[in-house]
Amino acid sequence: MRAAELIRAGATRADLRRCCAERDIERLREGLYALPSARADVRTAATHGGALACVSALRHHGIWVLDAPGVHVWLGRGGRAHAHPGCRCVAHWETGRARPGVVSVARALVQVARCRGSEAFFVAYESAWRLGKLTATARTWIRQNLDAGMRYLVDFARPDADSGLESLVRLRLAKLGIVLQSQVSIRGVGVVDFVLDGRIILEVDGRENHDGGSSRHKDLGRDARALALGYLPLRFDYAQVMYEWHLVEAAILGARETLGRRSLRPVAGRRGQL
Ligand SMILES: [Zn+2]
Ligand SMILES: [Zn+2]
């Protein structure tokens, strides 16, 4: 909070000095104070002159975001950036009046679209929606405030994407004209991330839940059962999707080629159930 706000709320200059001395509050810079419990990134943003914004704000709200360096700070139109030690802030000057704190999920998403591009926006948007942090009103507001060329992403988004990686894969394959069925239940295999062309199973392992030997054993069993039912399972991990997408894309296109798109018929109903 700014000193002016604290004084308007009834504090005196002497109160502020005493509270600082007793460490009830901490002075970030001239005229700006924080509670000891304030998070480090929120303090950094306030010290820089604004509110935690963009990807940094979404991370604060518990939303899955693609990695992005720096602390993103909204200074508002006509705000002022303050120098401070160790500054690696990424400044946002979008319209409005910024105050210390954290920007809303909706505003942060619009900031991400401009700052980090369409993929970063899309994965964060689907994550926020799935977590129940986007009302219909917020979704409409976001769509209106996006650049016209990005509004299709809001229309394409779904509320049930299982992970940010899945969102990313679905968007990238859609750009290649490949339509996926998400979260498909196959009898004998379980729920798989995606099915394409009715025959190819695509599984994307998030980094959190796929690093042990037991999960590898389980995955191999699933793949074997899928093959036995006539499906072709493809499995990729976090690093491959993020850093070796060319390989993932080539594998998917190669698998389609191998199976022959024309002869592909869904195996559902015969040996499995889509
Ligand atoms: Zn800074
Ligand atoms: Zn940003």
Side-chain angles (χ1 to χ4, degrees):
M1 277 187 113
R2 296 199 175 95
E5 290 174 273
L6 292 166
I7 285 165
R8 260 203 307 280
T12 64
R13 294 272 169 201
D15 289 335
L16 296 184
R17 277 195 299 276
R18 183 173 46 76
C19 287
C20 279
E22 290 172 6
R23 296 180 189 274
D24 290 331
I25 59 172
E26 187 189 328
R27 182 173 170 277
L28 298 179
R29 62 174 155 75
E30 179 67 41
L32 184 68
Y33 297 88
L35 289 171
S37 58
R39 271 178 48 155
D41 49 3
V42 180
R43 285 163 188 262
T44 302
T47 307
H48 194 87
L52 196 66
C54 191
V55 282
S56 306
L58 293 180
R59 214 175 273 130
H60 181 96
H61 288 296
I63 290 159
W64 199 89
V65 292
L66 295 177
D67 286 342
V71 175
H72 293 238
V73 185
W74 179 45
L75 294 153
R77 184 83 75 209
R80 187 174 148 216
H82 296 260
H84 62 94
C87 177
R88 283 177 63 242
C89 300
V90 177
H92 283 254
W93 301 94
E94 293 92 357
T95 189
R97 214 174 128 78
R99 59 183 308 281
V102 185
V103 307
S104 70
V105 170
R107 185 185 285 277
L109 281 166
V110 173
Q111 291 171 334
V112 168
R114 303 220 172 100
C115 178
R116 306 296 302 172
S118 59
E119 288 191 342
F121 165 78
F122 184 74
V123 298
Y125 183 91
E126 285 206 332
S127 171
W129 197 0
R130 184 173 62 87
L131 292 169
K133 292 179 188 275
L134 287 180
T135 60
T137 312
R139 295 198 302 275
T140 305
W141 184 88
I142 291 166
R143 197 180 185 286
Q144 282 166 351
N145 283 277
L146 284 180
D147 294 339
M150 280 203 189
R151 289 184 188 151
Y152 76 96
L153 294 166
V154 169
D155 303 330
F156 182 64
R158 318 167 38 129
D160 59 354
D162 199 43
S163 74
L165 279 188
E166 284 187 32
S167 300
L168 195 58
V169 169
R170 187 154 36 79
L171 180 64
R172 286 178 176 176
L173 290 183
K175 286 179 176 171
L176 295 173
I178 300 175
V179 179
L180 299 170
Q181 293 170 272
S182 307
Q183 303 295 308
V184 180
S185 175
I186 299 175
R187 196 163 56 203
V189 179
V191 177
V192 301
D193 293 339
F194 300 110
V195 172
L196 57 118
D197 298 334
R199 286 283 289 278
I200 299 171
I201 292 174
L202 190 58
E203 300 257 47
V204 182
D205 303 337
R207 75 181 130 180
E208 308 83 17
N209 49 5
H210 272 274
D211 43 13
S214 69
S215 67
R216 177 166 162 75
H217 181 76
K218 233 166 81 184
D219 291 344
L220 290 172
R222 257 164 89 91
D223 292 350
R225 284 193 294 278
L227 281 160
L229 287 167
Y231 292 94
L232 177 59
L234 296 176
R235 186 177 292 282
F236 302 102
D237 68 11
Y238 177 84
Q240 287 170 320
V241 171
M242 295 306 296
Y243 310 115
E244 295 182 297
W245 176 254
H246 59 283
L247 185 60
V248 176
E249 185 180 309
I252 293 169
L253 296 177
R256 295 183 101 203
E257 195 78 17
T258 304
L259 289 177
R261 291 179 58 188
R262 279 164 183 275
S263 67
L264 286 177
R265 287 193 319 275
V267 291
R270 190 157 54 91
R271 285 173 293 179
Q273 187 183 356
L274 275 177

